[in-house]
Amino acid sequence: MLPNIDFSLNAYDNEQVRLMEEMCILVDENDKKIGADSKKNCHLMANINKGLLHRAFSVFLFNSENKLLLQQRSDDKITFPSLWTNTCCSHPLNTPLELDENNQIGVRRAAQRKLQHELGIKPRQVPIDDFVFLTRIHYLAPSDGIWGEHEKNLHLVDYVLIIRADVDLEINPNEVKAVEYFSLEELTQKFENPGDWKFTPWFKLISETFLFAWWKNLDNIKKDEKIHKLGFDNL
């Protein structure tokens, strides 16, 4: 664990500040666990510049009409407030259940937990075995700011999970501002003409690099064990 940097969170929402104390899983570039540290420390650019890397996940939920559920992050979020992104993005925690690497079960458990926390989706509607692991992405981009997930920057190994389900939503306003379903054609058009919409960097990058190709063949996507490095060309 790196020394805790003296950076005040007093100006932020109390619940979001509490969540910044959750313990994330530190990994090396091969996604091997090397320790644990707080969410706050994992997202400070000063620590990222020292090589701090943590495990994360991104869930893409499609309904029976093959439409993807997007969420707009709450204005209360400390990192990436108000930006549109994929269905759910978060971190497995440094707990026995979410550290389990057998068949990515720990990440799947974390995904199920956060779908309920953020969107009110009951676990029975998104069974752990229904999550399809596609690949891992090692994302890195530089930052001049305090937070490594501010506007365009972060450093993580991101597990990409797809699940197909019709779900009931009860959004947590502390986490999510709005939700909307998109077809492939609608999302492609939104990226081309975003208007006042702004997207998280990982969502746009995953979409343009992988998602649009996957979307056309959701029933026959093959798991890719490779860790793809994205976002390094700006370094």
Side-chain angles (χ1 to χ4, degrees), residues 27-31 42-45 47-49 51-58 60 80 83 85-86 89-91 135-143 147-160 199-210 226-235:
V27 296
D28 63 17
E29 291 190 357
N30 296 311
D31 192 33
C42 286
H43 293 77
L44 287 169
M45 203 61 215
N47 289 335
I48 291 173
N49 287 336
L52 198 66
L53 177 63
H54 65 284
R55 188 173 290 163
F57 65 82
S58 292
F60 294 76
F80 296 103
L83 299 191
T85 193
N86 50 288
C89 326
S90 192
H91 314 83
T135 193
R136 289 170 292 177
I137 293 169
H138 179 185
Y139 184 89
L140 173 65
S143 173
W147 297 106
E149 283 190 356
H150 180 71
E151 295 298 328
K152 62 178 180 178
N153 312 283
L154 64 165
H155 190 207
L156 47 81
V157 173
D158 191 25
Y159 283 65
V160 179
F199 297 97
T200 60
W202 69 85
F203 173 54
K204 201 157 189 299
L205 190 61
I206 292 173
S207 296
E208 294 172 344
T209 308
F210 297 110
K226 179 181 177 181
I227 301 176
H228 297 270
K229 287 192 173 185
L230 299 180
F232 284 76
D233 46 345
N234 294 325
L235 300 181

Side-chain angles (χ1 to χ4, degrees), residues 16-43:
Q16 292 298 317
V17 170
R18 183 188 71 79
L19 293 172
M20 289 298 257
E21 297 307 313
E22 292 182 331
M23 296 299 287
C24 295
I25 302 166
L26 301 183
V27 296
D28 63 17
E29 291 190 357
N30 296 311
D31 192 33
K32 301 300 181 185
K33 181 181 183 294
I34 58 173
D37 211 332
S38 69
K39 182 179 175 183
K40 173 185 174 182
N41 278 347
C42 286
H43 293 77

Side-chain angles (χ1 to χ4, degrees), residues 15 27 34 49 51 58 72 79 95 106 118 142 144 152-153 196-197 203 211 216 222:
E15 175 62 10
V27 296
I34 58 173
N49 287 336
S58 292
Q72 184 182 23
T79 58
T95 63
E118 295 185 5
D144 295 327
K152 62 178 180 178
N153 312 283
D196 59 356
W197 282 49
F203 173 54
L211 177 64
K216 299 173 183 177
K222 294 183 179 179

Side-chain angles (χ1 to χ4, degrees), residues 30-221:
N30 296 311
D31 192 33
K32 301 300 181 185
K33 181 181 183 294
I34 58 173
D37 211 332
S38 69
K39 182 179 175 183
K40 173 185 174 182
N41 278 347
C42 286
H43 293 77
L44 287 169
M45 203 61 215
N47 289 335
I48 291 173
N49 287 336
K50 296 175 183 177
L52 198 66
L53 177 63
H54 65 284
R55 188 173 290 163
F57 65 82
S58 292
V59 174
F60 294 76
L61 185 149
F62 295 87
N63 66 11
S64 56
E65 297 179 350
N66 228 27
K67 289 189 173 184
L68 173 64
L69 178 62
L70 268 60
Q71 66 155 280
Q72 184 182 23
R73 292 165 66 88
S74 168
D75 296 340
D76 291 328
K77 299 289 283 187
I78 295 172
T79 58
F80 296 103
S82 311
L83 299 191
W84 283 90
T85 193
N86 50 288
T87 313
C88 181
C89 326
S90 192
H91 314 83
L93 300 180
N94 188 54
T95 63
L97 283 177
E98 296 187 10
L99 280 167
D100 191 343
E101 297 180 357
N102 182 38
N103 201 29
Q104 305 90 34
I105 190 67
V107 172
R108 294 167 192 260
R109 287 170 176 151
Q112 188 186 64
R113 170 178 58 82
K114 288 300 291 184
L115 284 170
Q116 182 169 27
H117 175 227
E118 295 185 5
L119 296 163
I121 300 174
K122 297 294 189 287
R124 60 179 172 78
Q125 293 188 315
V126 284
I128 286 175
D129 289 342
D130 286 2
F131 288 96
V132 178
F133 165 70
L134 295 185
T135 193
R136 289 170 292 177
I137 293 169
H138 179 185
Y139 184 89
L140 173 65
S143 173
D144 295 327
I146 293 171
W147 297 106
E149 283 190 356
H150 180 71
E151 295 298 328
K152 62 178 180 178
N153 312 283
L154 64 165
H155 190 207
L156 47 81
V157 173
D158 191 25
Y159 283 65
V160 179
L161 303 173
I162 282 181
I163 188 164
R164 305 184 75 174
D166 291 319
V167 297
D168 299 312
L169 301 175
E170 188 176 344
I171 66 173
N172 176 354
N174 189 251
E175 292 286 327
V176 178
K177 185 174 183 178
V179 295
E180 190 165 338
Y181 281 96
F182 280 83
S183 68
L184 172 57
E185 294 74 19
E186 289 167 342
L187 186 57
T188 302
Q189 292 171 6
K190 180 60 73 173
F191 277 175
E192 292 173 352
N193 300 287
D196 59 356
W197 282 49
K198 294 182 179 179
F199 297 97
T200 60
W202 69 85
F203 173 54
K204 201 157 189 299
L205 190 61
I206 292 173
S207 296
E208 294 172 344
T209 308
F210 297 110
L211 177 64
F212 293 150
W214 289 333
W215 204 328
K216 299 173 183 177
N217 197 31
L218 286 178
D219 291 322
N220 297 293
I221 303 174

